[in-house]
Amino acid sequence: MDDLRSRLAAVDARIADAARAAGRDPSSITRIVVTKFHPATLVADLHRLGVRDVGENRQQELTAKSAQLSALTDLRWHFIGQAQTKKARAIRTAAGVVHSVDRARLADALEAAGTDGGVLDVLLQVNLTADPDRGGVAPEELERLAEHVAGCRTLRVRGIMAVAPLDEPAAPAFARLAGYARRLRAVVPDADWISAGMTADFVEAIAAGATHLRIGSAITGPRPVRI
Ligand SMILES: *Cc1c(COP(=O)(O)O)cnc(C)c1O
């Protein structure tokens, strides 16, 4: 718990420094702690340390942990992984925000699962690489997808999300992302969230305007081997 506290504090200090260096207010940035592969007890420890936004990338894990921790009603669960359409209902049940909407069929499945009268916050994931397996809509399809999702009554388009490419420095990729964010706002004017930045590249993401950082191992420590 002490190690977790000090890693969290160290990351938050680096976020604040990077924000100030970019002329931004640190309080305009939401730090999501990615807890994938770690047990629910770690999420409970993070909650005790004041963390309220946590991220998971697999539906089964999201469903299990959010059920185990259902007493922590102020935790916000962010789904950040590639989503299968048939898992949309389970994802919608457990998540407060879905960052990885990258196709109309997934939006339709999430929409169809919205039967409780609530509205689900979603981000459109854009692919910053030429590899379709990396997830995300191709940039040239962004406006078309935005128009489609904006027409889903139980979804609210909040912004854009991306993962930095592996074979390119993060800064130019995030600069492209900032341009896609502007294009999204031309379709959905209040969709001003930018979800970008992980352990290796959150400073570059902040410089490029990220509003939501998804940080895992720098805070949680190394991930346990996936079972
Ligand atoms: C795992 C993951 C992260 C966090 O990765 P770290 O390098 O541990 O910070 C962020 N975003 C997505 C989509 C992830 O799957």
Side-chain angles (χ1 to χ4, degrees):
M1 186 86 170
D2 282 346
D3 287 347
L4 192 61
R5 180 186 286 111
S6 55
R7 285 193 300 261
L8 181 67
V11 167
D12 284 349
R14 289 172 61 201
I15 293 171
D17 285 348
R20 282 188 287 266
R24 301 182 54 198
D25 178 355
S27 72
S28 69
I29 295 172
T30 301
R31 174 258 296 125
I32 300 160
V33 183
V34 177
T35 50
K36 63 188 184 198
F37 312 162
H38 288 281
T41 50
L42 179 113
V43 182
D45 286 347
L46 286 164
H47 183 268
R48 243 171 261 126
L49 295 172
V51 169
R52 293 296 177 268
D53 291 277
V54 294
E56 290 288 337
N57 74 334
R58 292 198 303 171
Q59 174 267 321
Q60 293 92 325
E61 238 184 290
L62 167 74
T63 298
K65 284 184 214 170
S66 62
Q68 277 177 276
L69 298 174
S70 60
L72 305 180
T73 52
D74 56 354
L75 261 185
R76 249 160 94 81
W77 293 89
H78 297 252
F79 186 75
I80 62 174
Q82 293 192 33
Q84 290 175 269
T85 305
K86 65 180 180 200
K87 301 291 177 62
R89 183 168 298 275
I91 291 169
R92 180 156 191 159
T93 300
V97 186
V98 175
H99 290 231
S100 43
V101 173
D102 61 359
R103 57 199 191 279
R105 256 168 48 80
L106 176 59
D108 291 344
L110 289 167
E111 167 84 342
T115 48
D116 65 356
V119 172
L120 178 69
D121 285 334
V122 300
L123 294 94
L124 306 186
Q125 181 177 355
V126 65
N127 192 344
L128 298 177
T129 78
D131 175 2
D133 289 344
R134 298 266 293 159
V137 67
E140 56 272 22
E141 301 288 327
L142 176 62
E143 280 88 352
R144 195 208 306 251
L145 179 64
E147 277 160 18
H148 183 90
V149 184
C152 295
R153 281 184 307 139
T154 74
L155 305 181
R156 179 172 177 200
V157 181
R158 301 307 302 257
I160 202 157
M161 179 274 215
V163 178
L166 300 170
D167 57 355
E168 183 193 348
F174 288 153
R176 291 201 298 283
L177 178 62
Y180 304 145
R182 281 190 291 276
R183 281 170 43 188
L184 173 59
R185 287 199 303 276
V187 180
V188 185
D190 65 349
D192 57 1
W193 296 6
I194 301 178
S195 167
M198 313 183 4
T199 290
D201 53 29
F202 69 83
V203 171
E204 290 88 340
I206 291 168
T211 62
H212 291 66
L213 314 174
R214 308 178 310 268
I215 303 179
S217 43
I219 295 171
T220 61
R223 280 186 276 277
V225 178
R226 190 173 189 153
I227 337 151

